[in-house]
Amino acid sequence: MADFATLRIERRVDRLWVTLHRPAERNAIDAAMVAELHEICAELEAEPKVLVLTGGVEGVFAGGADIGQLLRRRCEDALDGINLRLFERIRALPMPTVSAVDGWALGGGAELAYACDIRVATGRAKFGQPEPQLGILPGAGAAFRLVRLLGESVAKQVLLAGRTLAADEALRLGLLLEVTEPWQLFETADAVVDRMLRGSAMALRLTKLAVDAPEGAHPHVDLLAQAVLFEDAEKFERMTAFMNRKRDKGIRRG
């Protein structure tokens, strides 16, 4: 596998840990990081695993896009959707994705966290969209994802009124699954993945497809996904094992 300049990678049998690694720039998302994250997406599309994405435990997840590069971007760059296309690709990965957030997740950094399916964080995590202060808008997903994640009212408070969501608020609003201590963040994220992977990988993949399908596609996509799973060998193995455990428990009680 190729070496990465802006990422640190830990490959396991069932998951891939990716740590953003531009500490001197507060993990600002630059063109090199975008390119390397596309490589990670290609790897996970070819060999599906759960992705866990973090900024490390240094008090910052990602401080947004690289402002020096943003300053040089023009109309054509905006229409290319450099960050948006990457985050959409992360969103569409076959297996679930988890972001483990410590400290600040601002601008594009927050949008990267929003693109993941599940978020866990430390108590010092903060989410914000300061783009209007720089004369731009949050164009990499926040304008529509926050509405879906938090509802229109709270989304507009973040996007228009500059509200920053602290970890406890983000947990209460449902943006986060869990809030933990910094030293427990990686253990917490792994525990979430462990719970996921107690289920069938195929069921996880198809459930994610069903959840992310456009509203008009339901209930047809649900029925088709279930039809595939009803013929899957793992369904028979899991259900047979469940029935055997239930039978054995009944025999012991008897």
Side-chain angles (χ1 to χ4, degrees):
M1 294 293 182
D3 291 330
F4 293 97
T6 71
L7 307 174
R8 294 291 180 267
I9 312 298
E10 182 186 349
R11 293 179 175 86
R12 305 187 198 171
V13 172
D14 57 1
R15 71 201 69 181
L16 187 70
W17 269 85
V18 175
T19 303
L20 309 180
H21 189 71
R22 297 187 74 212
E25 295 81 14
R26 298 177 62 81
N27 288 340
I29 301 169
D30 68 347
M33 184 180 286
V34 168
E36 291 182 352
L37 285 170
H38 273 297
E39 290 186 47
I40 292 298
C41 288
E43 178 179 337
L44 292 173
E45 289 160 355
E47 186 180 350
K49 296 180 181 179
V50 173
L51 169 66
V52 184
L53 188 62
T54 186
V57 182
E58 299 173 350
V60 61
F61 175 73
D66 189 293
I67 302 301
Q69 292 187 3
L70 276 182
L71 179 62
R72 296 190 295 272
R73 290 181 186 172
R74 307 304 292 264
C75 172
E76 295 80 3
D77 299 306
L79 294 175
D80 281 343
I82 296 169
N83 287 4
L84 177 61
R85 290 180 189 276
L86 169 64
F87 298 169
E88 284 289 282
R89 192 175 184 183
I90 290 171
R91 177 70 175 174
L93 285 172
M95 289 288 282
T97 55
V98 177
S99 59
V101 179
D102 179 54
W104 290 96
L106 295 175
E111 290 174 304
L112 177 56
Y114 305 154
C116 292
D117 298 307
I118 303 291
R119 287 154 293 279
V120 297
T122 70
R124 60 189 180 187
K126 295 182 186 299
F127 299 85
Q129 304 296 153
E131 286 90 345
Q133 298 174 33
L134 298 171
I136 59 174
L137 60 80
F144 58 90
R145 284 206 180 92
L146 273 183
V147 174
R148 297 174 186 171
L149 290 168
L150 302 177
E152 182 179 336
S153 177
V154 176
K156 285 184 174 178
Q157 292 170 35
V158 174
L159 298 168
L160 302 180
R163 178 180 176 184
T164 297
L165 296 179
D168 57 344
E169 296 175 301
L171 178 66
R172 177 174 55 82
L173 292 167
L175 185 65
L176 297 175
L177 172 63
E178 293 186 47
V179 173
T180 187
E181 297 295 331
W183 60 272
Q184 292 179 311
L185 179 61
F186 297 164
E187 179 183 341
T188 299
D190 268 330
V192 170
V193 177
D194 290 341
R195 289 200 298 271
M196 288 181 182
L197 293 176
R198 284 201 289 267
S200 153
M202 181 63 74
L204 284 174
R205 289 184 65 174
L206 292 180
T207 300
K208 178 173 175 173
L209 279 174
V211 171
D212 288 342
E215 186 175 348
H218 297 284
H220 309 294
V221 69
D222 307 61
L223 297 177
L224 288 172
Q226 192 75 297
V228 171
L229 290 170
F230 272 14
E231 296 298 327
D232 187 56
E234 192 168 354
K235 168 246 186 176
F236 293 97
E237 293 170 4
R238 286 174 174 270
M239 289 192 176
T240 300
F242 175 84
M243 295 300 293
N244 287 340
R245 288 194 301 271
K246 185 177 180 181
R247 182 201 62 202
D248 293 344
K249 187 179 294 186
I251 291 173
R252 288 195 299 271
R253 286 178 178 174

